[in-house]
Amino acid sequence: MTLGAGYLYTDPSTALISTRERREVSGSAQAQITRFWRGGGFGRYDLELDRAVSAGVNLTYEDECLIFDTRFAKTYAEPSNRASYYPSDTVLLFRVSFKTVGDFGFRAI
């Protein structure tokens, strides 16, 4: 199993999208389920607004020739009275990689 954690702090900046101070924590976990399958998840949480920023899960199949990766992610919008713009979004992605040829991917939603 692989675990990850992070912390983000940014000062307010008019040059960036964010015009407020940001403090976020993030975490992720990835585990090998079987020889060819692995799965995991991630999340980010805004400490200033006391709410989730994003969350997601993934499931991957990988053998000697092929990688098939499926990811579902949800991003949560900031309240509309905020000066910055972070739209909400829900994404389902599929990616197929042939190790000797290349990648092909598409967004389902």
Side-chain angles (χ1 to χ4, degrees), residues 9-45:
Y9 172 80
T10 61
D11 286 326
S13 172
T14 56
L16 302 173
I17 293 174
S18 181
T19 57
R20 67 172 179 88
E21 180 180 283
R22 291 178 61 200
R23 290 187 312 125
E24 295 178 359
V25 292
S26 62
S28 64
Q30 186 85 359
Q32 195 73 32
I33 301 167
T34 67
R35 180 177 172 207
F36 297 116
W37 289 93
R38 68 181 178 272
F42 73 91
R44 274 183 30 219
Y45 190 83

Side-chain angles (χ1 to χ4, degrees), residues 18-74:
S18 181
T19 57
R20 67 172 179 88
E21 180 180 283
R22 291 178 61 200
R23 290 187 312 125
E24 295 178 359
V25 292
S26 62
S28 64
Q30 186 85 359
Q32 195 73 32
I33 301 167
T34 67
R35 180 177 172 207
F36 297 116
W37 289 93
R38 68 181 178 272
F42 73 91
R44 274 183 30 219
Y45 190 83
D46 190 318
L47 298 171
E48 293 293 318
L49 297 178
D50 194 27
R51 65 173 188 80
V53 175
S54 64
V57 294
N58 71 298
L59 184 63
T60 304
Y61 173 85
E62 181 174 1
D63 63 20
E64 299 81 19
C65 303
L66 172 79
I67 302 171
F68 178 73
D69 188 32
T70 304
R71 295 179 184 265
F72 176 80
K74 174 75 177 162

